[in-house]
Amino acid sequence: MADDSIAVVDLDRCQPDRCNYECKNFCPPNRTGKECITLRGEDAPEGQPDQVRISEEICLGETCGICVEKCPFDAIEIINLPQELTDDPAHRYGENAFSLYGLPAPQEGKVTGILGPNGIGKTTAVRILAGELEPNLGRHDESPGWDEVLEAYRGTEIQDYISAIRDGEVTVARKPQYVDQIPEQFDGNTRELLEKTNERDALDSLVERLSIGPVMDQAIDKLSGGELQRVALAATLARDTDFYFLDEITPYLDIGQRVTAAQLIRELAEEEGKSMLVVEHDLAILDLLADTLHVAYGEPGAYGVITTPKSVRNGINEYLAGYLENENMRIRPNPIQFEEHAPRPIENSEILVEYPDIAKSYGEGEFSLDVRGGEIRRNEVLGIVGPNGIGKSTFAKLLTGALEPDEGDTDLDLEISYKPQYVTIDQHMRVDAFLSSITDQFGSSYWNTEIAQPLQLERIMEQNLSDLSGGERQRVAIAACLSDEADLYLLDEPSAHMDVEQRVQATRAIRRYAEQQDATVLVIDHDIYMIDLLADRLMVFEGEPAEHGQAGTPQDMRDGMNDFLSNLDITFRRDERTSRPRINKPDSQLDSQQKREGEYYYAP
């Protein structure tokens, strides 16, 4: 194989007890007597059938690809690496295993961002920067040691940091990606968890600014996703370490909470000189938060490349364009584009349903919701926005019949397909079996093209639901929702745990499904980019979180966004090059000007 190609065997998918080693038997070099695809023998995982290995020296490369086509379980990838990728990898996990090229460069007093798809090696990079994983420079059969690693990175932005790791001078605080797993690791209440982390004596301030006070004495396993996210942020930022790694700070947080989290991270970097590394898929928050940006690209599960630092604006714009200028690398065939102005009004569209004024209270002194009557139009995507704890999910459950209103009739005589906010797995079955049990369209040309492919379901079809990651569960749940025949499709936070590419693909799948099936979709989400790409109109919720919420009638995007963002005192502008929404820095000249003009989002 050429030096710029690698062979990857996914041992979780390789199932030789269910095949006849087609890859090995049809391999052209093997058929001429060479040992290109062989069995692992003693190197096979204990208790597993004898899986295959591929000699990268003998393999003919991607131009052959016969083993890839013949494998019935899609366990083999033969990948031509970019020609520009001439350096050895920072780390390779083993023979025919994932390789990571390049490392991010944390800087004292700076926030370094990483932008890229899931499964591209960001966690591997962080484990190296935390001193937990010694990089092997691609030599998985022998460890070169930290001195040789330092020599390999001499003269780069990360040289000083590698030296500190080698000398054991780096301490690390890490916020996990999946905060819903925290209750499985800690048994106690919020106060007990946070007091163990209060190394900077900053806990009181963090609790106040993150609005955690009301849950300080609640058990961790009783907290919502948004509460767990804020507790995890407080626990991480309360520590006194050299290097802070924060893996996805925005899931389950509303836009106001996201801005607060970004401000806390920036303050810790600027005022105390800490090194901050943030992996984030909310581009508006990443833009506001980071000083420099590394773009990560490659083939998820096979190899990943982390670029040298870029300016945040250029890095995000290049990522959206799908072309990295310094690297001369195309990472996506088509750019991600945003509309310059609010979508056209749809007042002339046919009305699907009119709903009356609705009231719901959970009891005296508990949360209550008032919904002003309105109409939902056929073939529209209606975005629903508002702070956490304001009644958006309550409204969704009222529409589906999961909750009964105190006032108003929510029996709308509609078939509703519903994806809840929190995706839980209570079935032990494979993804393909689960989805085929939902729809007669499963496996059809239309279903594969319009649902399975955009949601990237092909490679997880044979996995068990219980083994899926958070982002994979989300994509399966969206597919299940769209696969059901219904008049109204209601998706609550579909963007959670998905990377930028997956969010855009999911957005397109939802949009196309609404247009082609003459369907109506309601989407509750906090990701401004997703709402911007998806929604025709907005329904804005306001009030006092956890006390009282009020839902206005659906309105056009400009008026809806102005109402929503004025309540939060946040303004957006449009990037001159790409028209993507960007958050204005608070009290900046543009922020003040837009507030005076009452244009919080679609600024002229």
Side-chain angles (χ1 to χ4, degrees), residues 79-327:
I79 299 169
N80 287 340
L81 296 175
Q83 293 182 355
E84 295 80 358
L85 205 61
T86 57
D87 295 335
D88 290 331
H91 191 76
R92 191 168 193 185
Y93 278 99
E95 187 177 28
N96 305 145
F98 179 85
S99 298
L100 174 67
Y101 294 81
L103 290 171
Q107 301 177 57
E108 289 186 11
K110 300 290 184 181
V111 180
T112 303
I114 305 181
L115 172 61
N118 291 327
I120 211 75
K122 298 185 294 291
T123 299
T124 297
V126 169
R127 289 188 62 206
I128 292 172
L129 297 180
E132 299 173 3
L133 178 67
E134 186 175 304
N136 59 27
L137 304 181
R139 305 201 298 268
H140 53 82
D141 53 350
E142 56 174 325
S143 178
W146 282 108
D147 286 343
E148 194 169 338
V149 171
L150 178 61
E151 186 62 32
Y153 283 93
R154 192 169 300 281
T156 67
E157 299 90 346
I158 201 173
Q159 174 185 339
D160 291 342
Y161 193 90
I162 292 288
S163 178
I165 298 175
R166 180 195 62 178
D167 298 337
E169 297 175 352
V170 175
T171 57
V172 179
R174 182 189 302 184
K175 189 203 80 67
Q177 179 181 15
Y178 298 118
V179 296
D180 52 354
Q181 296 176 2
I182 293 176
E184 300 174 11
Q185 302 165 1
F186 180 83
D187 184 18
N189 65 27
T190 303
R191 188 181 304 278
E192 291 168 344
L193 172 63
L194 292 180
E195 287 180 348
K196 292 181 178 180
T197 68
N198 191 22
E199 298 168 356
R200 295 195 301 113
D201 197 27
L203 188 56
D204 290 344
S205 174
L206 290 168
V207 167
E208 179 181 358
R209 293 181 64 181
L210 290 168
S211 302
I212 301 172
V215 300
M216 284 296 282
D217 294 311
Q218 285 190 26
I220 287 291
D221 60 3
K222 300 298 183 184
L223 302 186
S224 69
E227 290 163 347
L228 280 171
Q229 188 70 266
R230 284 175 282 150
V231 168
L233 277 166
T236 306
L237 300 180
R239 293 195 178 276
D240 188 11
T241 61
D242 305 305
F243 172 47
Y244 294 78
F245 169 61
L246 300 112
D247 198 345
E248 292 193 36
I249 65 172
T250 62
Y252 308 122
L253 298 187
D254 62 45
I255 183 64
Q257 294 166 339
R258 294 178 184 200
V259 171
T260 297
Q263 290 171 337
L264 287 170
I265 293 167
R266 285 212 58 83
E267 289 169 11
L268 187 55
E270 293 172 353
E271 296 173 8
E272 300 198 25
K274 300 294 187 179
S275 297
M276 319 293 288
L277 183 65
V278 180
V279 173
E280 183 51 57
H281 302 302
D282 184 324
L283 297 184
I285 294 300
L286 190 60
D287 192 10
L288 178 70
L289 176 66
D291 295 296
T292 59
L293 183 68
H294 296 267
V295 175
Y297 67 94
E299 291 286 338
Y303 80 95
V305 183
I306 296 178
T307 68
T308 54
K310 300 174 179 287
S311 73
V312 178
R313 180 173 181 261
N314 287 344
I316 292 177
N317 285 350
E318 289 178 16
Y319 186 83
L320 293 174
Y323 177 73
L324 305 179
E325 296 180 357
N326 289 345
E327 291 76 12

Side-chain angles (χ1 to χ4, degrees), residues 293-471:
L293 183 68
H294 296 267
V295 175
Y297 67 94
E299 291 286 338
Y303 80 95
V305 183
I306 296 178
T307 68
T308 54
K310 300 174 179 287
S311 73
V312 178
R313 180 173 181 261
N314 287 344
I316 292 177
N317 285 350
E318 289 178 16
Y319 186 83
L320 293 174
Y323 177 73
L324 305 179
E325 296 180 357
N326 289 345
E327 291 76 12
N328 190 28
M329 174 62 56
R330 179 153 294 283
I331 60 173
R332 188 188 315 103
N334 299 306
I336 299 170
Q337 297 176 322
F338 296 85
E339 295 191 36
E340 278 197 43
H341 304 290
R344 288 174 295 186
I346 58 167
E347 280 79 6
N348 296 328
S349 298
E350 180 184 348
I351 293 176
L352 172 69
V353 66
E354 295 186 65
Y355 57 90
D357 291 352
I358 303 168
K360 175 65 181 177
S361 174
Y362 286 92
E364 187 175 351
E366 300 292 328
F367 178 79
S368 63
L369 172 67
D370 290 307
V371 180
R372 189 180 305 165
E375 82 286 331
I376 301 171
R377 296 186 178 272
R378 189 176 298 278
N379 198 24
E380 77 166 328
V381 178
L382 178 60
I384 299 178
V385 295
N388 279 333
I390 208 71
K392 301 185 302 297
S393 295
T394 295
F395 176 65
K397 292 175 183 177
L398 287 167
L399 292 183
T400 62
L403 286 176
E404 291 291 331
D406 299 325
E407 298 177 19
D409 183 6
T410 55
D411 186 6
L412 304 180
D413 193 27
L414 293 175
E415 291 293 329
I416 299 177
S417 182
Y418 175 48
K419 186 206 81 68
Q421 180 180 15
Y422 302 116
V423 179
T424 57
I425 300 296
D426 56 5
Q427 300 184 58
H428 298 285
M429 59 193 307
R430 287 187 359 174
V431 171
D432 52 2
F434 169 67
L435 291 173
S436 64
S437 70
I438 291 174
T439 177
D440 294 335
Q441 299 183 62
F442 179 79
S444 68
S445 175
Y446 173 83
W447 192 90
N448 285 334
T449 301
E450 300 299 335
I451 295 179
Q453 290 179 14
L455 294 174
Q456 302 173 13
L457 300 181
E458 295 92 337
R459 289 190 61 81
I460 62 173
M461 280 295 187
E462 295 185 352
Q463 293 186 35
N464 289 321
L465 291 169
S466 56
D467 294 333
L468 300 180
S469 69

